[in-house]
Amino acid sequence: MEVVSRSRVDLPEYVPPDFEVYVGGVRQHPGVDYEVVGRSVVFPRSIAQEGKLGFWRWAFMWLGIAGSYRKHETVDLVYVAAGKRAVETGLVPRPYD
């Protein structure tokens, strides 16, 4: 049996109910790619975050031996506030309990 890991992003209080969601710069569609539960956007999959880099990884990157090639997805919201388009970027996804 496969366990599906879901992610959520909490909406800032100033974001209105009508907004667009982007993951890694790709527009997501409500009901297909995400759903809104209360003041959270819930994704039916895990949103990948690279996490902190350790000393050795930083050292290898600094020396040019290796890079950081882990998957890292960003979550952005686009909404209209005071008649202007606004963007909330770099929202941190968390596991959905």
Side-chain angles (χ1 to χ4, degrees):
M1 177 184 221
E2 181 180 333
V3 177
V4 176
S5 171
R6 298 191 301 172
S7 295
R8 73 177 166 85
V9 171
D10 295 327
L11 295 170
E13 61 186 46
Y14 49 85
V15 173
D18 188 25
F19 54 85
E20 298 171 3
V21 178
Y22 293 82
V23 175
V26 177
R27 175 117 188 243
Q28 305 296 294
H29 302 283
V32 177
D33 301 311
Y34 71 91
E35 61 182 294
V36 178
V37 177
R39 291 294 297 167
S40 296
V41 176
V42 178
F43 299 93
R45 65 180 183 88
S46 177
I47 303 295
Q49 293 287 289
E50 183 175 36
K52 294 189 176 200
L53 299 177
F55 171 78
W56 288 111
R57 177 146 321 270
W58 273 113
F60 287 147
M61 287 171 50
W62 185 75
L63 294 170
I65 296 172
S68 177
Y69 303 106
R70 298 178 191 162
K71 189 171 184 181
H72 184 81
E73 296 176 299
T74 58
V75 178
D76 307 315
L77 300 177
V78 177
Y79 57 95
V80 176
K84 296 183 180 180
R85 284 177 61 93
V87 177
E88 187 68 30
T89 185
L91 297 171
V92 179
R94 303 190 190 300
Y96 183 74
D97 302 322

